[in-house]
C-alpha cells in the first residue's frame, strides 16, 4: 500500500511539473484565461480574467414607435424613434478586454438594424451623427461591416480597462424600406423580439467568435 502511495505521489508531482511548465510557456495575456460561459444578470455584465469568448446574453421585447432610415440625410427624427438598451459592463480582471456586440432578430419583425456605442463616442448628442461619423458611407453593407466585420467575427469594439465600468448602449431601429409595404397595407410597427449579446475577449485580433 505504501508503495502504491509513493508511486501515486510521484505521478502527481510529475503532472504538477508538467502543468507549471505548460502555463509558464504561455503568453502573459492568455495563461490565466478561463471559460466562464454565458453571464446573464439583467443589465449588468461583470467579468474577471476571461476566456476567448465570455459573453452576456439578454433577450428583450423591444417596442418601436415607428420605422426610420439611418441612411437618409433628410431624416430628422431618427434619434426620436430608435430604441436604446443600456448594459453596465465591469472588467474585474487585471488586463484590458475588448467588448464586441451582436444583435439578432428572434421574432417576425423585418428590418432590424443596430449600433453599439458609449456616451463618449456621441457626436452632438446624436446617435445618427455618430453613425455618420464612423461609417465610410451610409449603407446597410457599411453598417454591417462596422458592426461585425466582413467575416462576421470582428467589427467595432469598445476597449475596457482593468477595474473600469462602462455603460454600453445598443441602439436598435426598424429600417423603413424593409417594412414600407406592410405600412402601406395598414400594418403598424409594434414590437420585436431581440437578442443582444456582448462578447468580452482578449485585446487581440481574432479573439471574438460569434
Amino acid at each position: 500500500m505504501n508503495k502504491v502511495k509513493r508511486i501515486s505521489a510521484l505521478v502527481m508531482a510529475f503532472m504538477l511539473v508538467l502543468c507549471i511548465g505548460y502555463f509558464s510557456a504561455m503568453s502573459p495575456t492568455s495563461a490565466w484565461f478561463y471559460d466562464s460561459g454565458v453571464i446573464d444578470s439583467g443589465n449588468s455584465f461583470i467579468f474577471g480574467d476571461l476566456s476567448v469568448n465570455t459573453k452576456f446574453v439578454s433577450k428583450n421585447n423591444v417596442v418601436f414607435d415607428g420605422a426610420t432610415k439611418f441612411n437618409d440625410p433628410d431624416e430628422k427624427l431618427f434619434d426620436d424613434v430608435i430604441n436604446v438598451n443600456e448594459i453596465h459592463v465591469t472588467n474585474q480582471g487585471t488586463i484590458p478586454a475588448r467588448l464586441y456586440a451582436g444583435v439578432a432578430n428572434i421574432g417576425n419583425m423585418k428590418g432590424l438594424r443596430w449600433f453599439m456605442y458609449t456616451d463618449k463616442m456621441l457626436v452632438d448628442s446624436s446617435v445618427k451623427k455618430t453613425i455618420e461619423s464612423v461609417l465610410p458611407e451610409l449603407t446597410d453593407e457599411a453598417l454591417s461591416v462596422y458592426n461585425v466585420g466582413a467575416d462576421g467575427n470582428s467589427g467595432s469594439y469598445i476597449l475596457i480597462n482593468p477595474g473600469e465600468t462602462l455603460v454600453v448602449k445598443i441602439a436598435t431601429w426598424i429600417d423603413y424600406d424593409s417594412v414600407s409595404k406592410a405600412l402601406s397595407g395598414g400594418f403598424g410597427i409594434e414590437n420585436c423580439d431581440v437578442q443582444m449579446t456582448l462578447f468580452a475577449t482578449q485585446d487581440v485580433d481574432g479573439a471574438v467568435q460569434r
Side-chain angles (χ1 to χ4, degrees), residues 60-64 105-107 109 112 174 190-194:
N60 304 283
N61 185 259
V62 180
V63 178
F64 294 97
N105 182 353
I106 55 177
M109 182 67 71
L112 181 67
I174 300 297
E190 296 179 355
N191 51 32
C192 181
D193 290 323
V194 177

Side-chain angles (χ1 to χ4, degrees), residues 16-180:
L16 179 61
V17 170
L18 284 180
C19 288
I20 293 174
Y22 172 77
F23 284 110
S24 64
M26 295 174 70
S27 68
T29 59
S30 61
W32 23 297
F33 275 47
Y34 64 90
D35 187 356
S36 56
V38 176
I39 302 172
D40 188 348
S41 304
N43 67 342
S44 297
F45 181 23
I46 302 172
F47 57 84
D49 294 328
L50 41 86
S51 73
V52 170
N53 206 6
T54 297
K55 58 187 178 182
F56 166 96
V57 178
S58 177
K59 296 181 180 179
N60 304 283
N61 185 259
V62 180
V63 178
F64 294 97
D65 294 329
T68 185
K69 296 176 65 174
F70 82 99
N71 54 357
D72 184 351
D74 296 323
E75 171 60 276
K76 305 300 182 185
L77 299 178
F78 181 85
D79 284 88
D80 294 322
V81 299
I82 63 173
N83 180 83
V84 178
N85 284 76
E86 297 184 358
I87 303 170
H88 297 256
V89 183
T90 301
N91 181 359
Q92 290 186 340
T94 56
I95 60 175
R98 292 186 184 184
L99 199 69
Y100 294 87
V103 176
N105 182 353
I106 55 177
N108 296 321
M109 182 67 71
K110 296 180 179 180
L112 181 67
R113 305 287 188 270
W114 62 275
F115 179 78
M116 177 179 68
Y117 67 98
T118 66
D119 284 343
K120 289 184 178 180
M121 295 170 56
L122 283 177
V123 176
D124 295 336
S125 301
S126 168
V127 174
K128 182 174 176 59
K129 289 184 178 180
T130 305
I131 295 174
E132 292 174 343
S133 71
V134 298
L135 295 188
E137 55 182 353
L138 295 181
T139 64
D140 285 335
E141 292 76 14
L143 179 64
S144 177
V145 170
Y146 179 83
N147 283 337
V148 300
D151 60 354
N153 276 320
S154 54
S156 66
Y157 62 87
I158 295 171
L159 189 68
I160 178 167
N161 292 308
E164 185 177 15
T165 296
L166 293 176
V167 178
V168 174
K169 298 184 178 182
I170 299 179
T172 52
W173 65 94
I174 300 297
D175 179 70
Y176 176 81
D177 288 341
S178 299
V179 296
S180 58

